[in-house]
Amino acid sequence: MKRVTFLRINKSREYLSSLGKIGCRPLFGGYSLTVEGVVFAMVAEGELYLRACEKCAQYFIQKSAPPLMYSKRGLPVALNYYRVDEELWENPDKLVQLSSQALRSAQREKTQIKIRSRRLKDLPNISLNIEVMLREVGINDPQTLQLFGPKRSWLKLRSTRKTVGIKVLLALAGAIRGVHEAVLPADVRKELTDWWRRYEQRQHPYSEH
C-alpha cells in the first residue's frame, strides 16, 4: 500500500504542477500535499483527497465523494477532505481547478489565523505601552484596531488619556497600514494632522496648536 501511495503522490505532483512546488509530509496516517507550507490535499491508502472549500464542496457533494477518515482513539473521524475519483482524474483541467480553489481557500484561512494570532504590539509603531492603553479602551487585537480606524481609536484613547497627541494618532494610522508612521503618505499625514488640529481647537478654543 505504501508503494501505491507514493505512486499517487507522484501522479498528483505531475497533474498539479501548475499550482507550484508541491511538498509532502506524513500527516494523519497519510501524507499531506502542500504549496509553500499550506496543506490543500491529502494522499492516503493510494487515494488523493482534496481539502473542501466553499467553491469546491458542491462538486464533491453532488458526486457523493467519501471523506477522508481518520481513527482517533479508536473512533472514526471524518476529515474535511474528499476523494478524487477516476472521472476527475480523467479531467485534468477540472482537477486543477478544484485543487486551485482548495489551495486558495487554505491560504486565506492560514492568513486569517495568522492575523488573529498577532498581538497589537507586533504591529509597526505600537509599543507595549500603547498596546496596554488600547486594551484599556476595548481595542484588544489588530482586527478591532483596523475596524475602528485611526481617528476613532485615537478618540477612545483620548477619552481616558488627555495627554495623547498627534504622534499617537499617526502611529495608529501607520500600524493599520503596516508601516512606520514616518513613511505615511503625505496626503494621509496632512489629513490626519488637520483633523487633529480641528479637534484640539474645539477642545481648547483659546489655545493655539
Side-chain angles (χ1 to χ4, degrees):
M1 182 59 71
K2 195 166 185 178
R3 179 175 177 274
V4 175
T5 293
F6 279 105
L7 286 174
R8 183 66 79 182
I9 290 172
N10 291 333
K11 184 177 181 181
S12 300
R13 281 174 160 164
E14 177 187 348
Y15 275 57
L16 304 177
S17 60
S18 61
L19 299 182
K21 185 177 180 180
I22 298 177
C24 173
R25 62 183 175 85
L27 184 67
F28 295 131
Y31 292 85
S32 67
L33 298 185
T34 66
V35 173
E36 295 181 352
V38 177
V39 179
F40 71 96
M42 292 282 299
V43 175
E45 298 183 350
E47 298 289 350
L48 174 66
Y49 294 80
L50 289 182
R51 185 183 188 275
C53 65
E54 186 177 349
K55 288 186 176 181
C56 62
Q58 191 60 37
Y59 174 89
F60 292 115
I61 291 172
Q62 289 175 349
K63 294 291 185 179
S64 299
L68 175 60
M69 302 302 296
Y70 171 67
S71 180
K72 185 176 182 180
R73 297 176 183 173
L75 298 175
V77 177
L79 301 180
N80 195 36
Y81 293 78
Y82 291 87
R83 193 177 72 193
V84 172
D85 59 17
E86 286 306 313
E87 180 183 348
L88 190 51
W89 279 111
E90 293 171 4
N91 188 349
D93 290 342
K94 185 66 174 179
L95 176 57
V96 170
Q97 178 191 16
L98 294 173
S99 300
S100 177
Q101 291 171 348
L103 174 60
R104 288 198 299 269
S105 174
Q107 288 170 332
R108 285 193 299 270
E109 184 174 304
K110 183 176 182 178
T111 299
Q112 290 167 356
I113 291 172
K114 186 177 180 180
I115 291 173
R116 287 196 295 268
S117 67
R118 293 180 71 186
R119 284 183 56 178
L120 286 162
K121 72 177 183 62
D122 296 328
L123 300 176
N125 316 312
I126 304 298
S127 64
L128 182 58
N129 184 46
I130 294 179
E131 181 187 58
V132 170
M133 291 194 298
L134 287 168
R135 287 180 174 277
E136 287 176 353
V137 295
I139 301 176
N140 298 309
D141 51 61
Q143 305 96 287
T144 305
L145 178 62
Q146 186 170 29
L147 180 65
F148 282 176
K151 295 176 185 177
R152 187 178 173 192
S153 298
W154 184 85
L155 287 172
K156 289 175 76 69
L157 290 178
R158 185 59 180 263
S159 68
T160 60
R161 306 264 182 158
K162 300 303 181 183
T163 57
V164 169
I166 182 64
K167 188 170 181 61
V168 171
L169 175 62
L170 296 176
L172 295 176
I176 291 170
R177 286 172 170 259
V179 300
H180 190 278
E181 61 92 6
V183 297
L184 278 171
D187 58 334
V188 173
R189 177 179 292 274
K190 182 179 186 307
E191 194 275 329
L192 289 172
T193 301
D194 290 346
W195 175 85
W196 172 78
R197 284 174 176 161
R198 290 193 300 271
Y199 174 85
E200 291 291 352
Q201 185 61 37
R202 289 195 301 270
Q203 300 302 308
H204 310 285
Y206 302 108
S207 299
E208 292 186 3
H209 295 277

